[in-house]
Coordinates of all heavy atoms in Angstrom, one line a residue:
M8 N -48.3 -38.7 69.9 CA -49.2 -38.8 68.7 C -48.7 -38.0 67.6 O -48.1 -37.0 67.7 CB -50.6 -38.2 69.3 CG -51.2 -38.9 70.4 SD -52.8 -38.2 70.8 CE -53.9 -39.5 70.4
T9 N -49.1 -38.4 66.5 CA -48.5 -37.7 65.3 C -49.2 -36.4 65.0 O -48.6 -35.6 64.3 CB -48.7 -38.6 63.9 OG1 -50.1 -38.9 63.9 CG2 -47.9 -39.9 64.1
D10 N -50.3 -36.1 65.5 CA -50.9 -34.8 65.3 C -50.4 -33.7 66.2 O -50.9 -32.7 66.1 CB -52.5 -34.9 65.4 CG -52.9 -35.3 66.8 OD1 -52.2 -35.3 67.7 OD2 -54.1 -35.7 66.8
G11 N -49.6 -34.1 67.2 CA -49.0 -33.0 68.1 C -49.8 -32.8 69.3 O -49.5 -32.1 70.1
V12 N -51.1 -33.4 69.5 CA -52.0 -33.3 70.5 C -51.7 -34.4 71.5 O -52.0 -35.6 71.2 CB -53.4 -33.1 70.2 CG1 -54.3 -33.0 71.5 CG2 -53.6 -32.0 69.4
G13 N -51.0 -34.1 72.6 CA -50.6 -35.3 73.5 C -51.5 -35.4 74.7 O -52.6 -34.9 74.8
R14 N -51.0 -36.2 75.5 CA -51.8 -36.7 76.7 C -52.2 -35.5 77.5 O -53.3 -35.5 78.1 CB -51.0 -37.7 77.5 CG -50.8 -39.0 76.8 CD -50.2 -40.0 77.8 NE -49.2 -40.9 77.3 CZ -49.3 -41.7 76.3 NH1 -50.4 -41.6 75.5 NH2 -48.3 -42.6 75.9
R15 N -51.3 -34.6 77.7 CA -51.7 -33.4 78.6 C -52.9 -32.8 78.1 O -53.8 -32.5 79.0 CB -50.5 -32.4 78.6 CG -50.8 -31.2 79.5 CD -49.8 -30.2 79.4 NE -50.0 -28.8 79.1 CZ -51.2 -28.2 79.3 NH1 -52.2 -28.7 79.8 NH2 -51.3 -26.9 79.1
T16 N -53.0 -32.5 76.9 CA -54.2 -31.7 76.4 C -55.4 -32.5 76.3 O -56.6 -32.1 76.4 CB -54.0 -31.0 75.1 OG1 -53.6 -32.0 74.2 CG2 -53.0 -29.9 75.1
E17 N -55.2 -33.9 76.1 CA -56.3 -34.8 76.1 C -56.9 -35.0 77.4 O -58.2 -35.1 77.6 CB -56.0 -36.2 75.7 CG -55.6 -36.2 74.1 CD -55.1 -37.6 73.7 OE1 -55.1 -38.5 74.5 OE2 -54.8 -37.7 72.6
A18 N -56.1 -34.8 78.5 CA -56.6 -35.1 79.8 C -57.2 -33.9 80.5 O -57.9 -34.0 81.5 CB -55.5 -35.7 80.7
V19 N -56.8 -32.6 80.1 CA -57.2 -31.4 80.7 C -58.6 -31.1 80.3 O -58.7 -31.0 79.1 CB -56.2 -30.4 80.5 CG1 -56.6 -29.0 81.1 CG2 -54.7 -30.7 81.0
P20 N -59.5 -30.9 81.2 CA -60.8 -30.5 80.6 C -60.7 -29.0 80.1 O -60.1 -28.2 80.8 CB -61.7 -30.5 81.8 CG -60.8 -30.6 83.0 CD -59.5 -31.1 82.5
T21 N -61.1 -28.7 79.0 CA -60.9 -27.4 78.3 C -62.0 -26.5 78.7 O -63.2 -26.9 79.0 CB -60.8 -27.4 76.9 OG1 -61.9 -28.0 76.4 CG2 -59.5 -28.3 76.4
R22 N -61.8 -25.2 78.8 CA -62.7 -24.1 79.0 C -63.5 -24.2 80.4 O -64.5 -23.6 80.5 CB -63.8 -24.1 77.9 CG -63.0 -24.1 76.4 CD -62.0 -23.1 76.4 NE -61.4 -23.2 75.1 CZ -60.1 -23.2 74.9 NH1 -59.2 -23.4 75.9 NH2 -59.5 -23.3 73.8
E23 N -63.0 -25.1 81.3 CA -63.6 -25.2 82.6 C -62.7 -24.5 83.6 O -62.9 -24.6 84.7 CB -63.9 -26.6 82.9 CG -64.9 -27.3 82.0 CD -65.1 -28.8 82.4 OE1 -64.6 -29.2 83.4 OE2 -65.8 -29.4 81.6
R24 N -61.8 -23.7 83.1 CA -60.9 -23.0 83.9 C -60.5 -21.7 83.3 O -60.7 -21.5 82.1 CB -59.6 -23.9 84.2 CG -58.8 -24.2 82.9 CD -57.8 -25.1 83.1 NE -57.3 -25.7 81.8 CZ -56.7 -25.1 80.9 NH1 -56.4 -23.9 80.9 NH2 -56.3 -25.8 79.8
P25 N -59.9 -20.8 84.0 CA -59.5 -19.5 83.4 C -58.5 -19.8 82.3 O -57.7 -20.6 82.3 CB -58.9 -18.7 84.5 CG -59.3 -19.4 85.8 CD -59.6 -20.8 85.5
L26 N -58.7 -19.0 81.2 CA -57.8 -19.2 80.0 C -56.6 -18.1 80.2 O -56.8 -16.9 79.8 CB -58.5 -19.0 78.7 CG -59.6 -20.0 78.5 CD1 -60.3 -19.8 77.2 CD2 -58.9 -21.4 78.5
A27 N -55.5 -18.5 80.7 CA -54.4 -17.6 81.2 C -53.9 -16.8 80.0 O -53.4 -15.6 80.1 CB -53.3 -18.4 81.7
L28 N -54.0 -17.3 78.7 CA -53.4 -16.6 77.6 C -54.4 -16.1 76.6 O -54.1 -15.6 75.5 CB -52.5 -17.7 76.8 CG -51.3 -18.1 77.7 CD1 -50.5 -19.2 76.8 CD2 -50.4 -17.0 78.1
Y29 N -55.7 -16.0 77.1 CA -56.7 -15.3 76.2 C -56.4 -13.9 75.9 O -55.8 -13.2 76.6 CB -58.0 -15.4 76.9 CG -59.2 -14.8 76.0 CD1 -59.7 -15.6 75.0 CD2 -59.6 -13.5 76.2 CE1 -60.8 -15.1 74.2 CE2 -60.6 -13.0 75.4 CZ -61.1 -13.8 74.5 OH -62.1 -13.3 73.6
G30 N -56.5 -13.6 74.6 CA -56.0 -12.2 74.1 C -54.6 -12.1 73.7 O -54.2 -11.0 73.3
K31 N -53.8 -13.1 73.9 CA -52.4 -13.1 73.5 C -52.3 -13.9 72.2 O -53.0 -14.8 71.9 CB -51.7 -13.8 74.6 CG -51.8 -13.3 76.0 CD -51.2 -11.8 76.1 CE -51.4 -11.3 77.5 NZ -51.2 -10.0 77.7
V32 N -51.2 -13.5 71.5 CA -50.8 -14.3 70.2 C -49.5 -15.0 70.5 O -48.5 -14.3 70.9 CB -50.7 -13.3 69.1 CG1 -50.3 -14.0 67.8 CG2 -52.1 -12.6 68.8
A33 N -49.4 -16.2 70.1 CA -48.3 -17.0 70.2 C -47.8 -17.4 68.9 O -48.6 -17.9 68.1 CB -48.5 -18.2 71.2
I34 N -46.4 -17.5 68.7 CA -46.0 -17.9 67.4 C -45.2 -19.1 67.6 O -44.3 -19.1 68.6 CB -45.0 -16.9 66.7 CG1 -45.8 -15.5 66.6 CG2 -44.5 -17.4 65.5 CD1 -44.8 -14.3 66.4
V35 N -45.5 -20.2 67.0 CA -44.8 -21.5 67.2 C -44.1 -21.9 65.9 O -44.9 -22.1 65.0 CB -45.7 -22.5 67.8 CG1 -45.0 -23.9 68.1 CG2 -46.4 -22.1 69.0
T36 N -42.8 -22.0 65.9 CA -42.1 -22.5 64.7 C -42.0 -24.0 64.8 O -41.8 -24.5 65.9 CB -40.8 -21.8 64.6 OG1 -39.9 -22.1 65.6 CG2 -41.0 -20.2 64.4
G37 N -42.1 -24.6 63.7 CA -42.0 -26.1 63.6 C -43.3 -26.6 64.3 O -43.2 -27.7 65.0
A38 N -44.3 -26.0 64.1 CA -45.6 -26.2 64.9 C -46.4 -27.4 64.4 O -47.4 -27.8 65.2 CB -46.6 -25.0 64.8
A39 N -46.0 -28.0 63.4 CA -46.9 -29.2 62.9 C -46.5 -30.5 63.5 O -47.5 -31.4 63.6 CB -46.8 -29.3 61.4
K40 N -45.4 -30.7 64.1 CA -44.9 -32.0 64.5 C -44.2 -31.9 65.8 O -43.7 -30.8 66.3 CB -44.0 -32.6 63.4 CG -44.7 -32.7 62.0 CD -43.6 -33.0 61.0 CE -44.3 -32.8 59.6 NZ -43.2 -33.0 58.5
G41 N -44.0 -33.0 66.4 CA -43.1 -33.2 67.6 C -43.5 -32.1 68.6 O -44.5 -31.8 69.0
M42 N -42.4 -31.5 69.2 CA -42.5 -30.7 70.3 C -43.3 -29.4 69.9 O -44.0 -28.9 70.7 CB -41.1 -30.3 70.8 CG -41.1 -29.5 72.1 SD -39.5 -29.1 72.9 CE -38.3 -29.7 71.9
G43 N -43.1 -28.9 68.7 CA -43.9 -27.8 68.3 C -45.4 -28.0 68.2 O -46.2 -27.1 68.6
G44 N -45.8 -29.2 67.9 CA -47.2 -29.6 67.9 C -47.7 -29.6 69.3 O -48.9 -29.1 69.6
E45 N -46.9 -30.1 70.3 CA -47.3 -30.2 71.7 C -47.4 -28.8 72.2 O -48.4 -28.5 72.9 CB -46.3 -31.0 72.5 CG -46.2 -32.5 72.1 CD -47.4 -33.3 72.6 OE1 -48.0 -32.8 73.6 OE2 -47.6 -34.3 72.0
I46 N -46.5 -28.0 71.9 CA -46.4 -26.6 72.4 C -47.7 -25.8 71.9 O -48.4 -25.1 72.6 CB -45.1 -25.9 72.1 CG1 -44.0 -26.5 72.9 CG2 -45.3 -24.4 72.3 CD1 -42.6 -26.2 72.4
S47 N -47.9 -25.9 70.6 CA -49.1 -25.2 70.0 C -50.4 -25.7 70.6 O -51.3 -24.9 70.8 CB -49.0 -25.3 68.5 OG -49.2 -26.6 67.9
A48 N -50.5 -26.9 70.8 CA -51.7 -27.4 71.5 C -51.9 -26.9 72.9 O -53.1 -26.5 73.3 CB -51.7 -29.0 71.5
A49 N -50.8 -26.9 73.7 CA -50.8 -26.4 75.0 C -51.3 -24.9 75.0 O -52.0 -24.4 75.8 CB -49.6 -26.6 75.7
L50 N -50.7 -24.1 74.0 CA -51.0 -22.7 74.0 C -52.5 -22.5 73.7 O -53.1 -21.6 74.2 CB -50.1 -22.0 73.0 CG -48.6 -21.8 73.4 CD1 -47.8 -21.6 72.3 CD2 -48.5 -20.9 74.6
A51 N -52.9 -23.3 72.6 CA -54.4 -23.2 72.3 C -55.3 -23.5 73.4 O -56.3 -22.9 73.7 CB -54.7 -24.1 71.0
D52 N -54.9 -24.6 74.2 CA -55.7 -24.9 75.3 C -55.7 -23.8 76.4 O -56.7 -23.8 77.2 CB -55.0 -26.2 75.9 CG -55.9 -26.9 77.0 OD1 -57.1 -26.7 76.9 OD2 -55.3 -27.5 77.9
D53 N -54.7 -23.1 76.5 CA -54.7 -21.9 77.4 C -55.3 -20.7 76.9 O -55.3 -19.6 77.5 CB -53.3 -21.7 78.0 CG -52.9 -22.6 79.1 OD1 -53.8 -23.2 79.7 OD2 -51.6 -22.7 79.3
G54 N -55.9 -20.8 75.7 CA -56.6 -19.6 75.1 C -55.8 -18.7 74.2 O -56.4 -17.7 73.6
A55 N -54.6 -19.0 73.9 CA -53.8 -18.0 73.0 C -54.4 -18.3 71.6 O -54.7 -19.3 71.2 CB -52.4 -18.4 73.1
A56 N -54.4 -17.2 70.7 CA -54.3 -17.3 69.3 C -52.9 -17.8 68.9 O -51.9 -17.2 69.3 CB -54.7 -16.0 68.7
V57 N -52.9 -18.9 68.1 CA -51.7 -19.6 67.8 C -51.3 -19.5 66.3 O -52.2 -19.8 65.5 CB -51.7 -21.0 68.2 CG1 -50.3 -21.7 68.0 CG2 -52.1 -21.1 69.8
V58 N -50.2 -18.9 66.0 CA -49.6 -18.8 64.6 C -48.8 -20.1 64.5 O -47.9 -20.3 65.2 CB -48.8 -17.6 64.3 CG1 -48.2 -17.6 63.0 CG2 -49.6 -16.3 64.6
L59 N -49.2 -21.0 63.5 CA -48.5 -22.3 63.4 C -47.6 -22.1 62.1 O -48.0 -21.9 61.0 CB -49.5 -23.4 63.0 CG -50.7 -23.5 64.1 CD1 -51.8 -24.4 63.5 CD2 -50.1 -24.1 65.3
A60 N -46.3 -21.9 62.4 CA -45.3 -21.6 61.4 C -44.4 -22.8 61.1 O -44.1 -23.5 62.0 CB -44.6 -20.3 61.8
G61 N -44.1 -23.0 59.9 CA -43.2 -24.2 59.5 C -43.1 -24.3 58.0 O -43.7 -23.6 57.3
R62 N -42.3 -25.2 57.7 CA -42.0 -25.4 56.1 C -43.0 -26.3 55.4 O -43.2 -26.1 54.3 CB -40.6 -26.0 56.0 CG -39.5 -25.1 56.4 CD -38.1 -25.7 56.3 NE -38.0 -26.8 57.2 CZ -36.9 -27.5 57.5 NH1 -35.8 -27.1 56.9 NH2 -37.0 -28.5 58.2
D63 N -43.6 -27.1 56.2 CA -44.6 -28.1 55.6 C -46.1 -27.6 55.8 O -46.7 -27.9 56.8 CB -44.4 -29.5 56.3 CG -45.2 -30.6 55.5 OD1 -46.2 -30.2 54.8 OD2 -45.0 -31.8 55.8
L64 N -46.6 -26.9 54.7 CA -47.9 -26.2 54.9 C -49.0 -27.3 55.0 O -49.9 -27.1 55.8 CB -48.2 -25.3 53.7 CG -49.5 -24.5 53.8 CD1 -49.5 -23.7 55.1 CD2 -49.7 -23.7 52.6
D65 N -48.9 -28.4 54.3 CA -49.9 -29.5 54.5 C -50.0 -30.0 55.9 O -51.1 -30.2 56.5 CB -49.6 -30.6 53.5 CG -49.8 -30.3 52.0 OD1 -50.6 -29.3 51.7 OD2 -49.2 -30.9 51.1
A66 N -48.9 -30.2 56.5 CA -48.8 -30.8 57.8 C -49.3 -29.7 58.8 O -50.0 -30.0 59.8 CB -47.4 -31.2 58.2
L67 N -49.0 -28.4 58.6 CA -49.5 -27.3 59.4 C -51.0 -27.3 59.4 O -51.6 -27.1 60.4 CB -48.9 -25.9 59.0 CG -47.4 -25.7 59.2 CD1 -46.9 -24.6 58.5 CD2 -47.1 -25.6 60.7
E68 N -51.6 -27.3 58.2 CA -53.0 -27.3 58.0 C -53.7 -28.5 58.6 O -54.8 -28.3 59.2 CB -53.4 -27.1 56.5 CG -53.0 -25.7 56.0 CD -53.2 -25.6 54.5 OE1 -53.3 -26.7 53.7 OE2 -53.3 -24.4 54.0
R69 N -53.2 -29.7 58.6 CA -53.7 -30.8 59.2 C -53.7 -30.6 60.7 O -54.6 -30.9 61.5 CB -52.9 -32.1 58.9 CG -53.2 -32.6 57.5 CD -52.6 -34.0 57.2 NE -51.2 -34.1 57.5 CZ -50.3 -33.9 56.6 NH1 -50.6 -33.5 55.3 NH2 -49.0 -34.0 56.8
H70 N -52.5 -30.1 61.3 CA -52.5 -29.8 62.8 C -53.4 -28.7 63.1 O -54.1 -28.9 64.2 CB -51.1 -29.5 63.1 CG -50.9 -29.3 64.5 ND1 -51.2 -30.2 65.6 CD2 -50.5 -28.2 65.3 CE1 -50.9 -29.8 66.7 NE2 -50.5 -28.6 66.6
E71 N -53.5 -27.7 62.2 CA -54.5 -26.6 62.5 C -55.9 -27.1 62.7 O -56.7 -26.8 63.5 CB -54.4 -25.6 61.4 CG -55.4 -24.4 61.6 CD -55.3 -23.4 60.6 OE1 -55.0 -23.8 59.3 OE2 -55.5 -22.2 60.8
A72 N -56.3 -28.1 61.7 CA -57.6 -28.7 61.8 C -57.8 -29.5 63.2 O -59.0 -29.5 63.7 CB -57.9 -29.6 60.6
V73 N -56.9 -30.2 63.5 CA -56.9 -31.0 64.8 C -57.2 -30.0 66.0 O -58.0 -30.2 66.8 CB -55.6 -31.8 65.0 CG1 -55.6 -32.3 66.4 CG2 -55.5 -32.9 64.0
L74 N -56.4 -28.9 66.0 CA -56.6 -27.8 67.0 C -58.0 -27.3 67.0 O -58.6 -27.1 68.1 CB -55.5 -26.8 66.9 CG -54.1 -27.2 67.3 CD1 -53.1 -26.1 67.1 CD2 -53.9 -27.9 68.6
N75 N -58.4 -26.9 65.9 CA -59.7 -26.3 65.8 C -60.9 -27.3 66.1 O -61.9 -26.9 66.6 CB -60.0 -25.7 64.4 CG -59.1 -24.5 64.1 OD1 -58.7 -23.7 65.0 ND2 -58.6 -24.2 62.9
E76 N -60.7 -28.5 65.9 CA -61.6 -29.5 66.3 C -61.7 -29.6 67.8 O -62.6 -29.7 68.5 CB -61.4 -30.8 65.6 CG -62.4 -31.9 65.9 CD -62.2 -33.2 65.1 OE1 -61.7 -33.1 64.0 OE2 -62.5 -34.2 65.7
R77 N -60.4 -29.8 68.4 CA -60.2 -30.1 69.7 C -60.6 -28.9 70.6 O -61.2 -29.0 71.6 CB -58.8 -30.4 70.0 CG -58.5 -30.7 71.5 CD -57.5 -31.7 71.7 NE -57.7 -32.3 72.9 CZ -58.5 -33.4 73.1 NH1 -59.0 -34.0 72.1 NH2 -58.7 -34.0 74.3
F78 N -60.3 -27.6 70.1 CA -60.6 -26.5 70.9 C -61.5 -25.6 70.0 O -61.0 -24.8 69.1 CB -59.2 -25.7 71.3 CG -58.4 -26.6 71.9 CD1 -57.1 -27.0 71.2 CD2 -58.4 -27.1 73.1 CE1 -56.2 -27.8 71.8 CE2 -57.5 -27.9 73.8 CZ -56.4 -28.3 73.1
A79 N -62.8 -25.7 70.2 CA -63.7 -25.1 69.3 C -63.6 -23.6 69.1 O -63.8 -23.1 68.0 CB -65.2 -25.4 69.7
D80 N -63.2 -22.9 70.2 CA -63.0 -21.5 70.1 C -61.6 -21.1 69.8 O -61.3 -19.9 70.0 CB -63.6 -20.8 71.3 CG -62.9 -21.3 72.6 OD1 -62.1 -22.4 72.5 OD2 -63.0 -20.7 73.6
A81 N -60.8 -22.0 69.3 CA -59.3 -21.7 69.0 C -59.2 -20.8 67.8 O -59.9 -20.9 66.9 CB -58.5 -23.0 68.8
E82 N -58.2 -19.8 67.9 CA -57.9 -19.0 66.8 C -56.6 -19.5 66.3 O -55.6 -19.4 67.1 CB -57.8 -17.5 67.3 CG -58.9 -16.7 67.2 CD -58.6 -15.3 67.5 OE1 -58.6 -14.9 68.6 OE2 -58.3 -14.5 66.5
T83 N -56.4 -19.9 65.1 CA -55.2 -20.4 64.6 C -54.9 -19.8 63.2 O -55.9 -19.5 62.5 CB -55.2 -22.0 64.5 OG1 -56.3 -22.3 63.6 CG2 -55.2 -22.6 65.9
L84 N -53.6 -19.8 62.8 CA -53.3 -19.4 61.5 C -52.1 -20.3 61.1 O -51.0 -20.1 61.7 CB -52.8 -17.9 61.5 CG -52.4 -17.3 60.2 CD1 -53.3 -17.4 59.2 CD2 -51.8 -15.9 60.5
A85 N -52.3 -21.0 60.1 CA -51.1 -21.9 59.5 C -50.5 -21.0 58.5 O -51.0 -20.6 57.5 CB -51.7 -23.1 58.9
V86 N -49.1 -20.9 58.5 CA -48.3 -20.0 57.6 C -47.0 -20.9 57.3 O -46.3 -21.2 58.2 CB -48.0 -18.7 58.3 CG1 -47.2 -17.8 57.3 CG2 -49.2 -18.0 58.7
R87 N -46.8 -21.0 56.1 CA -45.5 -21.6 55.6 C -44.5 -20.5 55.8 O -44.5 -19.4 55.3 CB -45.6 -22.0 54.1 CG -44.4 -22.7 53.7 CD -44.2 -23.0 52.2 NE -43.0 -23.7 52.0 CZ -41.7 -23.4 52.3 NH1 -41.6 -22.3 52.8 NH2 -40.7 -24.1 51.9
C88 N -43.5 -20.9 56.6 CA -42.4 -20.0 56.8 C -41.2 -20.8 57.2 O -41.2 -21.6 58.2 CB -42.7 -19.1 58.0 SG -41.4 -17.9 58.5
D89 N -40.1 -20.7 56.5 CA -38.8 -21.2 56.8 C -38.1 -20.2 57.5 O -37.6 -19.2 57.0 CB -38.1 -21.6 55.5 CG -36.7 -22.2 55.7 OD1 -36.3 -22.2 56.8 OD2 -36.2 -22.7 54.8
V90 N -37.8 -20.4 58.8 CA -37.2 -19.4 59.7 C -35.7 -19.1 59.3 O -35.1 -18.2 59.8 CB -37.4 -19.7 61.2 CG1 -38.8 -19.6 61.6 CG2 -36.7 -21.0 61.5
T91 N -35.1 -20.0 58.5 CA -33.8 -19.7 58.0 C -33.7 -18.7 56.8 O -32.7 -18.3 56.4 CB -33.1 -21.0 57.6 OG1 -33.7 -21.5 56.5 CG2 -33.0 -22.0 58.8
D92 N -34.9 -18.4 56.3 CA -35.1 -17.5 55.2 C -35.5 -16.1 55.7 O -36.7 -16.0 56.2 CB -36.1 -18.0 54.2 CG -36.4 -17.1 53.0 OD1 -36.0 -15.9 53.0 OD2 -36.9 -17.7 52.0
E93 N -34.7 -15.1 55.7 CA -34.9 -13.8 56.3 C -36.2 -13.2 55.7 O -37.1 -12.5 56.4 CB -33.8 -12.9 56.2 CG -33.9 -11.6 56.9 CD -32.6 -10.7 56.8 OE1 -31.5 -11.3 56.6 OE2 -32.8 -9.5 57.0
A94 N -36.3 -13.2 54.3 CA -37.5 -12.7 53.7 C -38.8 -13.3 54.2 O -39.8 -12.7 54.4 CB -37.4 -12.8 52.2
A95 N -38.8 -14.7 54.3 CA -40.0 -15.4 54.8 C -40.4 -15.0 56.1 O -41.6 -14.8 56.5 CB -39.8 -17.0 54.6
T96 N -39.4 -14.8 57.0 CA -39.7 -14.5 58.4 C -40.3 -13.0 58.4 O -41.2 -12.7 59.1 CB -38.4 -14.5 59.2 OG1 -37.9 -15.9 59.0 CG2 -38.7 -14.2 60.7
A97 N -39.7 -12.1 57.6 CA -40.2 -10.8 57.5 C -41.6 -10.7 57.1 O -42.5 -9.9 57.5 CB -39.3 -9.9 56.6
N98 N -42.0 -11.6 56.1 CA -43.4 -11.6 55.6 C -44.3 -12.2 56.6 O -45.6 -12.1 56.5 CB -43.5 -12.4 54.3 CG -42.8 -11.7 53.2 OD1 -42.8 -10.5 53.1 ND2 -42.2 -12.4 52.3
L99 N -43.9 -12.9 57.6 CA -44.7 -13.5 58.7 C -45.4 -12.5 59.6 O -46.5 -12.5 60.0 CB -43.8 -14.6 59.4 CG -44.5 -15.2 60.6 CD1 -45.7 -16.1 60.1 CD2 -43.6 -16.1 61.3
A100 N -44.6 -11.4 59.9 CA -45.0 -10.4 60.9 C -46.3 -9.7 60.5 O -47.2 -9.6 61.3 CB -43.8 -9.4 61.1
P101 N -46.5 -9.3 59.3 CA -47.7 -8.5 58.9 C -49.0 -9.4 59.1 O -50.0 -9.0 59.5 CB -47.6 -8.2 57.5 CG -46.2 -8.1 57.2 CD -45.5 -9.1 58.1
R102 N -48.8 -10.8 58.8 CA -49.9 -11.7 59.0 C -50.3 -11.9 60.5 O -51.4 -12.1 60.8 CB -49.6 -13.0 58.4 CG -49.3 -12.9 56.9 CD -49.4 -14.0 56.0 NE -50.7 -14.7 56.1 CZ -50.8 -15.9 55.6 NH1 -49.8 -16.6 55.1 NH2 -52.0 -16.5 55.7
I103 N -49.3 -11.8 61.4 CA -49.5 -11.9 62.8 C -50.2 -10.7 63.3 O -51.1 -10.8 64.1 CB -48.2 -12.2 63.5 CG1 -47.6 -13.5 63.0 CG2 -48.4 -12.1 65.0 CD1 -46.2 -13.7 63.4
V104 N -49.9 -9.6 62.9 CA -50.5 -8.4 63.4 C -52.0 -8.4 63.0 O -52.8 -8.0 63.8 CB -49.9 -7.1 62.7 CG1 -50.7 -5.8 63.0 CG2 -48.4 -6.9 63.2
V105 N -52.3 -8.9 61.8 CA -53.8 -9.0 61.4 C -54.5 -10.0 62.4 O -55.5 -9.7 62.9 CB -53.9 -9.5 60.0 CG1 -55.3 -9.9 59.7 CG2 -53.5 -8.4 59.1
L106 N -53.9 -11.1 62.7 CA -54.5 -12.1 63.6 C -54.7 -11.5 65.0 O -55.7 -11.6 65.6 CB -53.6 -13.3 63.8 CG -54.2 -14.4 64.7 CD1 -55.4 -15.0 64.2 CD2 -53.1 -15.4 65.0
G107 N -53.7 -10.8 65.6 CA -53.8 -10.1 66.8 C -54.8 -9.0 66.9 O -55.4 -8.8 68.0
S108 N -55.2 -8.4 65.8 CA -56.1 -7.3 65.8 C -57.6 -7.7 65.5 O -58.5 -6.9 65.6 CB -55.8 -6.2 64.8 OG -55.9 -6.8 63.5
E109 N -57.8 -9.0 65.2 CA -59.2 -9.5 65.0 C -60.0 -9.7 66.2 O -61.2 -9.6 66.2 CB -59.1 -10.9 64.2 CG -58.6 -10.8 62.8 CD -58.4 -12.0 62.2 OE1 -58.6 -13.1 62.7 OE2 -58.1 -12.0 60.9
G110 N -59.3 -10.0 67.3 CA -60.1 -10.2 68.6 C -60.4 -9.0 69.3 O -60.9 -8.2 69.7

């Protein structure tokens, strides 16, 4: 699927099982599409707060909306970040610390 939410997360009943990653923060680069989209959906399904990082902010925000709709209690943060740019990566860290301290 183009939104990154695949069959695994569609078939698994959410919130009817222990959330193994509740209270943890996961950072997924390339999170809007393909494998990154699948990984971020699986992490959100397991209860992690997910930082969606990538170069295409519009795609990240669309994927974030899908995750927030699919997993009502999901904590997500879409951040434009080109991991090949050292300064952009350094600016990502303070935003993640804030997300991790909110819960």
